[in-house]
Amino acid sequence: MAQVLEFRLPDLGEGLTEAEIVRWLVEVGDVVAVDQPVVEVETAKAMVDIPCPYAGVVTARFGEEGRELPVGAPLLTVAVGAPATGAETEGSGNVLVGYGTSEAPARRRRVRPTPPTTPAGQPAGMAANGAATRKGTATAEHAPAPGVARPVGTAAGHGPAGHGPDVAPADEENRSEGPVPVISPLVRRLAREHGLDLRELHGSGPDGLILRADVEYALRAAEVRGRTAQPPAEPHPRVTPTTPAPSAAAPPTQAPVRSSAPLGGIRTPLKGIRGAVADKLSRSRREIPDATCWVDADATELMRARTAMNAAGGPKISLLALLARISTAALARFPELNATVDMEAREVIQLDHVHLGFAAQTERGLVVPVVRDAHARDAESLTAEFARLTEAARGGTLTPAELTGGTFTLNNYGVFGVDGSTPIINHPEAAMLGVGRIIPKPWVHEGELAVRQVVELSLTFDHRVCDGGTAGGFLRYVADCVEHPAVLLRTL
């Protein structure tokens, strides 16, 4: 006998406590296999496809697209066949944290097919005897016009021609409990943006499927009802030479009344990536006593060196990769800045590996992918890894592991056309190097005024891990490498 197993939103790791449903990959009634992706969710870190640990038939889905669910909330239920042995009830052993698929959940129920009922509530077989005598009149009086969808709450005779009356209350109760017959995410988004409950619509597609035309019609109908419900505006009084103007008999001035209504404007929920960024930056400001120092550097020789590298053939070297190579060399000289602070133990922990984060602005918001073991990579390897992570960030496919674990961050805000910034440290790191735009500026070179490619560098650091002398030494070494790239030859 079939059993219904409940699959809950698993713990995706990295301290994530909730996820937003982006797109369902299965419908109610679909047959799924073990480890088949069933839903796409967006966490505060990345987009993730969630695989199902059970094989069977999907009997229910919990949550509409766009809804946030906490970890542990039901995602869907799957009807599986009766196991012959205990081994068949074992889960998939999928590697996502918190699946708990080693045994079946305690909540189980049997799948009982519900016989179709007539509007009077009788089973179809019992009502068949008297159906022939009433078929002619019932069809004409109660059947809605085919191919047309409308809101449930629209009274008969009040909609456009061709729309039938409301459905029976029993049908309404079934619709409120069952899944919404919508496939297209565009239809769901259109309804969500206009505050329309899809459960109040009857679809004109196959098997009652709600189409975009159904949603658009319901919105037009609601607009028509809203206009007819508004009272007519009072006509302006006519002013004639013999009739005094209404302002002449104006009442005495009254004190203004303060309204307790909420302020208008656009309200955007702080959730997903935007919410994670807000929480992390707020924590950084609360916990880290940061300071910032600046220096201008002549980047002309660095730009020439990059041009020479790319002219020699092979993969092109990015400017970001050269700056990353300079940063790892500077951290080798000043390891105090590749650290984190453990306030519970009241210790500063210097880290022996450099996992370099870099700020990347995407359509989904600011993300900081992490290049693992950046200190052990050359310019070509850094260029390739930056390109891979940037492409994944733009596509929203970064994994939580690729967005966490950084020890130092490189922030190239010069791509926005600005010179300087005082960035907020990426908690729990201890420092961030900022790079402004590289532009021609007058510069004293070898005792003469010349036009050179100048960049502004800034270092924001945690004052708990070091003093200004260490931070200044780090930034000065970075500037020296930018001005004289041959300095790096000492550490290659």
Side-chain angles (χ1 to χ4, degrees):
M1 182 175 294
Q3 294 179 331
V4 174
L5 304 181
E6 186 178 73
F7 175 43
R8 297 174 178 269
L9 178 64
D11 179 5
L12 301 177
E14 303 297 340
L16 302 175
T17 59
E18 60 188 10
E20 178 180 340
I21 297 176
V22 176
R23 180 168 59 100
W24 282 103
L25 305 179
V26 295
E27 299 287 340
V28 173
D30 288 355
V31 178
V32 296
V34 172
D35 288 343
Q36 174 182 337
V38 293
V39 64
E40 182 182 18
V41 300
E42 179 181 7
T43 70
K45 302 293 184 182
M47 305 276 279
V48 181
D49 286 344
I50 304 296
C52 180
Y54 310 120
V57 179
V58 178
T59 59
R61 301 185 318 191
F62 302 97
E64 298 293 333
E65 293 175 355
R67 178 183 174 188
E68 279 193 351
L69 294 178
V71 170
L75 269 180
L76 49 78
T77 54
V78 179
V80 300
T85 63
E88 295 183 11
T89 61
E90 294 182 356
S92 64
N94 198 291
V95 297
L96 281 178
V97 180
Y99 256 40
T101 60
S102 59
E103 59 180 358
R107 176 181 174 184
R108 299 181 181 181
R109 59 183 177 86
R110 295 180 179 179
V111 178
R112 298 178 182 270
T114 304
T117 59
T118 63
Q122 298 176 341
M126 297 177 60
N129 294 333
T133 59
R134 299 189 299 270
K135 182 177 180 180
T137 58
T139 302
E141 293 178 3
H142 298 288
V148 180
R150 60 184 178 82
V152 173
T154 305
H158 290 278
H163 289 266
D166 293 342
V167 297
D171 186 29
E172 295 301 323
E173 183 178 354
N174 293 336
R175 288 182 60 84
S176 64
E177 295 179 355
V180 180
V182 179
I183 294 179
S184 172
L186 296 178
V187 174
R188 294 183 183 273
R189 184 183 304 170
L190 181 63
R192 184 167 60 248
E193 290 176 351
H194 291 83
L196 181 64
D197 188 358
L198 290 174
R199 295 185 183 274
E200 297 182 357
L201 300 184
H202 295 285
S204 60
D207 298 327
L209 182 68
I210 299 176
L211 308 177
R212 180 173 181 174
D214 304 331
V215 176
E216 291 175 346
Y217 167 74
L219 295 176
R220 288 195 301 268
E223 184 179 357
V224 170
R225 289 196 303 271
R227 286 201 301 262
T228 56
Q230 294 178 356
E234 297 182 0
H236 295 285
R238 296 182 61 187
V239 180
T240 63
T242 58
T243 303
S247 58
T253 304
Q254 298 179 353
V257 179
R258 293 187 178 181
S259 174
S260 60
L263 297 177
I266 301 175
R267 292 176 175 263
T268 303
L270 280 176
K271 62 180 183 179
I273 288 184
R274 187 73 264 165
V277 170
D279 293 339
K280 198 161 192 176
L281 297 183
S282 299
R283 182 179 182 183
S284 178
R285 276 297 189 212
R286 288 194 307 267
E287 298 184 7
I288 299 179
D290 58 348
T292 304
C293 51
W294 296 268
V295 66
D296 289 339
D298 180 4
T300 304
E301 296 302 324
L302 180 66
M303 301 300 289
R304 289 176 179 172
R306 176 173 177 259
T307 301
M309 292 178 188
N310 293 335
K316 301 295 183 182
I317 303 300
S318 69
L319 179 61
L320 187 62
L322 295 179
L323 293 172
R325 187 67 189 87
I326 293 173
S327 298
T328 57
L331 289 173
R333 282 181 166 245
F334 300 91
E336 298 92 337
L337 293 170
N338 190 52
T340 186
V341 177
D342 185 353
M343 288 303 297
E344 293 185 0
R346 300 191 67 81
E347 295 176 344
V348 176
I349 306 172
Q350 285 191 18
L351 306 171
D352 54 359
H353 288 71
V354 179
H355 300 318
L356 186 66
F358 66 99
Q361 191 71 35
T362 69
E363 294 181 355
R364 300 171 60 241
L366 176 68
V367 295
V368 184
V370 177
V371 177
R372 302 285 170 178
D373 297 322
H375 62 287
R377 297 176 181 265
D378 57 18
E380 287 188 2
S381 175
L382 288 169
T383 298
E385 187 67 0
F386 281 136
R388 184 188 72 82
L389 292 174
T390 300
E391 185 64 24
R394 291 171 179 171
T397 58
L398 288 171
T399 64
E402 293 171 330
L403 286 165
T404 54
T407 63
F408 185 88
T409 296
L410 176 61
N411 188 357
N412 183 21
Y413 46 75
V415 297
F416 301 119
V418 297
D419 297 324
S421 174
T422 55
I424 300 176
I425 296 175
N426 189 20
H427 186 280
E429 299 171 11
M432 178 184 294
L433 176 66
V435 182
R437 59 178 178 168
I438 302 177
I439 58 174
K441 284 186 178 181
W443 189 267
V444 176
H445 177 65
E446 296 180 351
E448 295 183 359
L449 186 63
V451 177
R452 306 285 286 181
Q453 300 292 322
V454 179
V455 61
E456 182 177 293
L457 305 172
S458 65
L459 177 70
T460 299
F461 63 99
D462 186 341
H463 229 311
R464 297 174 297 179
V465 303
C466 68
D467 296 326
T470 301
F474 175 93
L475 190 58
R476 186 64 257 170
Y477 179 80
V478 171
D480 290 343
C481 291
V482 169
E483 294 182 342
H484 308 287
V487 174
L488 283 177
L489 294 176
R490 298 177 61 90
T491 58
L492 292 180

